[in-house]
Every structure is written in C-alpha cells, then in structure tokens.
Amino acid sequence: MERLIVVSNRTPAQGERTQPAGGLTVGLHEVVQTRESLWFGWSGNQAEDADAKPVQVESGETVSYATFDLTPEQYERFYLNFSNGVLWPLCHYRTDLIRYWRADAEAYYAVNECFADRLLPYLRSDDTIWIHDYHLFPMGKRLRSLGVKGRIGFFLHIPFPPWSVARVLPGVDRLLESMTAYDRIGVQTHEDAENLRGCFAACGLEAVVEACPIGIEPESFRQTAISSAASDEVRKTLRSFDGHRFIIGVDRLDYSKGIPERLRGFARLLERYPQYCEQVTFLQVTPVSRAGVESYRALKQQIDELVGSINGAHGTAAWTPVRYTTHGLAREDLAGLYRHADIGLVTPRRDGMNLVAKEFIAAQDENDPGVLILSRLAGAAPDLVKALQVNPLDADGIADALHTGLSMDRKARHEAWSVMYGEVTRNTAGSWAKQFLDSLEMATT
C-alpha cells in the first residue's frame, strides 16, 4: 500500500495525535494509524526567520509529523486576511464581510507555493497525497509544476457557494483553474458538489467533484458519553440547573453558527410559551476563536448583549434562562452533557457538515433520548432527516421547534433518534476516509 501524505493548514497538536477531538483529526485517525503516513503542515508558530528554518519532522510508528513556521506577515496576510477574511465568508455566503486586498491574495498563493516547496523533498514517487481545506486550494497546482505525477486529492470541509456568489471573488477563475490539478475533489454535500461543478463549468474548466460527507466515530463517542454522564464535573453542572430541563448548544464563536438567531429563538419560546419560564435552561458553550478579527469581536459583543437582555427580561432570583460560557469544555464533559440534554440546538446559518449534531445523536440514552433541532442549512441536514429541521433565521420557527421537542413523548423521540443513530453509525469517520481514498486511488494520473 502506498504511503499516505496528509496536508492541512495545521497539523494536530501533541495531545490530539493520540486523543483526536477535531473533525479532521477524528476523521483521519484510523487511516493514518493503519498505513504508513506523513502529516504535513504549519506548526502554529510564527518566526521572523521562518523562511530560513528547516522543516521539523517527528517520526512515529505509523504516522510522522512534519511542520514548519510562518512569518508574522505570512500569518496575517495568508491566514487571517485571505483565508479567514475572504475565503471563509465567501464560502459561507457572507459576501458582505469580505475584505479583499490584492496583496493578501498574492500572499495566499505564495504561502501555498511554500507549502508545496517544503513538502517536495519528503515525497516519494508512489505517495498518495491528500490535501485538506480552503487554506490550500491552489497547492496541488504547485506540486504538479514541481513534477509530482502521483495521485493528489483535495477535500473541502466547509461549504462551496454557487457561481452567483463565487464570482464576487476577484480572481476566482485563477483559483478554480488551480484546483483542476487534483485527481479528485471531495465536498460535504451534493449541493456543494453541484455548486463547485457549476463554477468550473462557468469558467470552461473540468474537474472530478464528489460528495463525500464526513462522520464521527459513534461507538467511541457513545462510550465516552456513558462514562462521563455520571462524572463529578457533569453532575456539578446538572445540579446548577436545579432540576430544570435543559437545552444545549455548542459552537465556536463564528458568524456562520447562527448563535444570535438561536438566542432570539429561545427568547421567543419564553415569550410565546411562558409555561417554560423557570422550567428550562439554555446552556450555550461558545469558545472564542479569531478574537483579533473585528467581525468576531463585534459578534461576541452582540451575543453578550443578547444574553444579558434575555436574562434581564425573563430571569428571576432563582433562575437564569441562558447560561453562556466562552470557555471550552473538555470533550468528555460535553459528551456527558449531551446525554443528559433534553434538546440539542444546532442552527448554523451555513455549515459544511456540523459534527456536533452527529455527536449529540451518538451520545443519547436510547431508552430516553433527547431531541435534535437542526438547521436545514447545515451539511448534516440531508443525513439527519428525522431531526426537527428549522430555518435558522426564523426565531418563531425555532421557538415552535423547541416547544415541539420539549413536548414529544418518549416513543416519538426514540423513533426519530433510532433512524438518525442508524445513519450516524453507517457513515462514520472511517468510512468517509476509506470512501474518498478508494475513489482517489482509482484515478488515472
């Protein structure tokens, strides 16, 4: 079996290499542990002399990690300004948030060339290369120009917009042309695949694009939830709810996650269905990300104000309607809380997949499962058709779904959960990686 080369903007942190938590590390954990692999990417560090510093290689039994630093200017222009200030909002249909500068775009292409140039000395002729996500759209073209002949695949973990949105990006034809270097391009949903194919067609280009939705490792997550449900930390949180039923939302701070809209939906529940006052608590866990970006600072302020407004309008001395934390919780604690929650509220405005929805389903007690409320704009929506699906912009619709979910009897909850759990166990992280790599290895180079 050929060696697998995984390339991502960041390589897994030390702790994640043995205890994977993020979607990509969970998705690739099995495959890199069962075949010779090299995982290549940015170290996460910045250094003024990064260009002169060698790649650092840490060898392992089956998988080795090769990392390099970026300069502060590369980090700002490539990572913050273009990857996250242009491509991220574009792919999430938020063209109003794009801040484009040509110098940032040129830095983006230059850093992609740097990734390819630094990887080249470590490649063998029969390697299979799998490049991940929007930071590295054009890397494959540089590898081809350097003489790499083997199979190169690419997977996009976030949505891809239709041509009517994508054409907003200056130089979008250049970006799309660079992606034709890949033998296979994977995306999360059939909608994303159709969108990307349409963009290629609009530019007179051809590429092989496949929908290949990523999953989780449901059995291991389920066991984590069972063991953590009775842990001291989870019990402590449950006691603080004073016996109230509770709703849980878990998202990093990002405008794509629909957190303000979700809060407005919960507020509408309390206004329209006052029987839930002093009976239901909403726990929103939102670790802060990209705190240095202005749009994220503004989002945090908006959420802070909404939480304060809801708690001020509806709270009592004995009850705080919204419990909100910007500190991340340990993965095992989240799993235990999912298992106890009456409702999992997952309402992104747009998401590539959203594995929180699948983790919530995996964590449930099959004898008394909670209810998943899911945005129909999440990538997981076509898989989890028995969720209560909502438009994330419709506060009244979210309120109605919350009322429905809180009112469902055990039989109805179990019937919906069992169908979704079947889907979660059918399409796992391992099967996702195998499906894509099997397709890539059939490609003619």
Side-chain angles (χ1 to χ4, degrees):
M1 182 181 291
E2 299 95 343
R3 187 175 62 152
L4 176 65
I5 308 297
V6 174
V7 186
S8 58
N9 176 56
R10 288 283 300 273
T11 60
Q14 285 287 348
E16 274 208 284
R17 294 177 184 181
T18 54
Q19 302 264 325
L24 181 59
T25 52
V26 170
L28 293 177
H29 182 69
E30 180 179 331
V31 69
V32 300
Q33 295 297 327
T34 54
R35 65 189 286 182
E36 185 184 3
S37 304
L38 173 69
W39 198 321
F40 182 89
W42 174 41
S43 64
N45 299 321
Q46 301 171 53
E48 291 288 355
D49 61 344
D51 292 337
K53 295 173 68 175
V55 172
Q56 299 296 311
V57 180
E58 300 174 60
S59 298
E61 188 172 338
T62 58
V63 57
S64 299
Y65 297 89
T67 60
F68 64 97
D69 298 345
L70 295 178
T71 67
E73 182 178 4
Q74 287 172 329
Y75 172 76
E76 181 177 359
R77 290 193 177 279
F78 155 76
Y79 181 73
L80 290 180
N81 293 0
F82 197 80
S83 294
N84 292 318
V86 175
L87 294 178
W88 179 270
L90 177 77
C91 288
H92 288 87
Y93 299 58
R94 292 300 304 272
T95 57
D96 57 309
L97 297 177
I98 291 174
R99 299 294 179 265
Y100 176 89
W101 294 96
R102 185 176 294 179
D104 296 331
E106 293 307 319
Y108 173 81
Y109 283 95
V111 171
N112 268 267
E113 291 185 0
C114 179
F115 266 76
D117 294 349
R118 285 180 172 263
L119 174 61
L120 187 67
Y122 299 92
L123 294 179
R124 304 171 188 165
S125 60
D126 62 347
D127 285 336
T128 293
I129 302 171
W130 193 3
I131 297 171
H132 291 266
D133 233 358
Y134 60 103
H135 313 84
L136 303 175
F137 277 132
M139 183 181 170
K141 182 178 181 181
R142 177 64 171 184
L143 287 172
R144 294 299 188 202
S145 74
L146 294 171
V148 175
K149 305 294 186 186
R151 297 178 182 88
I152 309 178
F154 179 86
F155 193 86
L156 181 64
H157 292 263
I158 66 175
F160 199 89
W163 177 243
S164 59
V165 175
R167 67 193 297 186
V168 169
L169 175 66
V172 66
D173 52 343
R174 177 187 180 188
L175 190 72
L176 290 163
E177 191 278 330
S178 72
M179 294 173 67
T180 62
Y182 296 115
D183 296 293
R184 292 287 189 277
I185 299 171
V187 292
Q188 298 280 20
T189 68
H190 291 288
E191 179 182 358
D192 295 326
E194 287 301 312
N195 288 345
L196 184 50
R197 290 187 195 111
C199 289
F200 282 126
C203 295
L205 301 169
E206 293 185 2
V208 179
V209 182
E210 300 177 348
C212 186
I214 194 170
I216 63 170
E217 290 301 339
E219 186 53 38
S220 63
F221 194 83
R222 182 173 180 78
Q223 292 305 316
T224 297
I226 291 170
S227 60
S228 299
S231 70
D232 290 343
E233 191 63 32
V234 170
R235 291 292 183 190
K236 179 181 175 182
T237 302
L238 294 175
R239 284 195 299 272
S240 73
F241 295 152
D242 197 27
H244 298 150
R245 303 174 74 183
F246 85 98
I247 300 159
I248 190 167
V250 178
D251 315 83
R252 67 179 179 81
L253 183 70
D254 193 275
Y255 48 77
S256 67
K257 301 301 182 180
I259 301 170
E261 294 80 6
R262 182 182 312 170
L263 287 165
R264 295 188 187 102
F266 180 67
R268 290 295 288 154
L269 174 77
L270 301 180
E271 293 161 4
R272 294 179 52 207
Y273 302 96
Q275 65 267 33
Y276 294 115
C277 290
E278 298 191 83
Q279 299 298 316
V280 178
T281 298
F282 176 26
L283 172 63
Q284 177 64 48
V285 180
T286 305
V288 173
S289 66
R290 303 171 189 165
V293 180
E294 175 57 35
S295 59
Y296 288 79
R297 289 196 296 268
L299 174 63
K300 183 179 182 303
Q301 181 178 349
Q302 181 186 18
I303 293 170
D304 290 346
E305 291 173 354
L306 275 169
V307 170
S309 175
I310 294 167
N311 288 341
H314 300 282
T316 65
W319 174 61
T320 302
V322 181
R323 300 277 294 279
Y324 166 58
T325 177
T326 57
H327 299 287
L329 300 184
R331 181 176 172 81
E332 57 269 21
D333 293 337
L334 284 174
L337 288 170
Y338 290 155
R339 190 168 178 84
H340 284 288
D342 295 275
I343 302 283
L345 190 54
V346 184
T347 56
R349 293 173 59 134
R350 184 74 60 171
D351 234 339
M353 176 50 59
N354 198 299
L355 296 180
V356 169
K358 296 187 176 184
E359 290 176 342
F360 180 83
I361 293 300
Q364 294 309 298
D365 179 351
E366 64 180 298
N367 295 313
D368 190 18
V371 175
L372 175 64
I373 297 176
L374 180 63
S375 164
R376 62 172 60 110
L377 301 180
D383 293 343
L384 304 178
V385 295
K386 290 297 184 179
L388 298 180
Q389 296 199 7
V390 296
N391 184 319
L393 304 181
D394 181 4
D396 286 292
I398 292 172
D400 289 340
L402 286 168
H403 171 60
T404 298
L406 291 166
S407 304
M408 285 175 70
D409 62 36
R410 184 176 302 192
K411 182 175 182 291
R413 286 185 279 115
H414 182 271
E415 287 176 352
W417 170 83
S418 62
V419 172
M420 290 186 285
Y421 186 66
E423 176 60 30
V424 169
T425 55
R426 183 188 67 82
N427 182 32
T428 67
S431 66
W432 162 77
K434 184 178 186 303
Q435 178 185 343
F436 184 86
L437 289 173
D438 285 351
S439 176
L440 177 59
E441 288 170 4
M442 288 190 296
T444 302
T445 59

